[in-house]
Amino acid sequence: MTAAPRRPIVLVDGATQVRGIRGWIGLIRRWPAMRKELRSSEGYVAHRLYLAGPTTVGLMTWWESRKALMRFAHGPRHHDVWEWAVRRNATHGGWLATYQLAAGGPLWGSGTPLARVFSSHMQASDAAPPKGCPAHHR
């Protein structure tokens, strides 16, 4: 049986350090509109929001292409959040890292919630046990 062709996937991991309670309030007020635009964007795969300490909020997003990512990044809601952050001095800054899957192995952990989301981007597991950890990690 031949494996189904995999579609490319791009991961973006970014975080922002919020400045004070007014920064949190402003960001929380803007999040629903940005999330709506994010989830309805062509090429969107999934996202996860995370907190790192009391002042940092992060967002990981997965995309079918860099082009799809850039369409969202230049969209009105995302632009609104960054314009607000800069003009209101609402954050201490942030960072962004982008990764593109060049060659992926089988998708392990099929019981995780994201397994179905990524199933069209990764090859199915062949049910063989995972390889052991390299010797220097033992």
Side-chain angles (χ1 to χ4, degrees):
M1 180 196 302
T2 59
R6 293 172 289 185
R7 299 186 332 231
I9 193 164
V10 175
L11 164 65
V12 180
D13 184 8
T16 300
Q17 189 177 21
V18 179
R19 187 187 303 266
I21 191 72
R22 292 181 76 177
W24 276 111
I25 292 169
L27 191 58
I28 289 168
R29 289 179 63 207
R30 286 164 176 77
W31 171 244
M34 191 171 90
R35 181 182 61 206
K36 182 177 180 181
E37 182 173 277
L38 172 70
R39 294 178 75 184
S40 65
S41 294
E42 183 181 338
Y44 164 83
V45 175
H47 77 275
R48 289 296 178 263
L49 198 62
Y50 65 90
L51 296 175
T55 62
T56 302
V57 61
L59 180 63
M60 294 178 70
T61 59
W62 290 269
W63 300 89
E64 291 182 352
S65 69
R66 185 168 175 76
K67 185 176 180 179
L69 157 65
M70 296 310 287
R71 272 194 308 265
F72 167 74
H74 294 281
R77 301 291 72 83
H78 189 255
H79 183 265
D80 174 58
V81 169
W82 285 109
E83 184 176 42
W84 160 82
V86 170
R87 290 184 186 218
R88 297 292 184 149
N89 200 23
T91 70
H92 291 287
W95 62 274
L96 185 69
T98 305
Y99 307 92
Q100 182 162 348
L101 177 70
L107 180 64
W108 284 93
S110 59
T112 64
L114 286 177
R116 284 185 311 255
V117 173
F118 296 127
S119 63
S120 63
H121 301 277
M122 308 293 203
Q123 68 192 47
S125 171
D126 62 4
K131 294 179 182 174
C133 197
H136 66 279
H137 287 267
R138 290 185 188 163

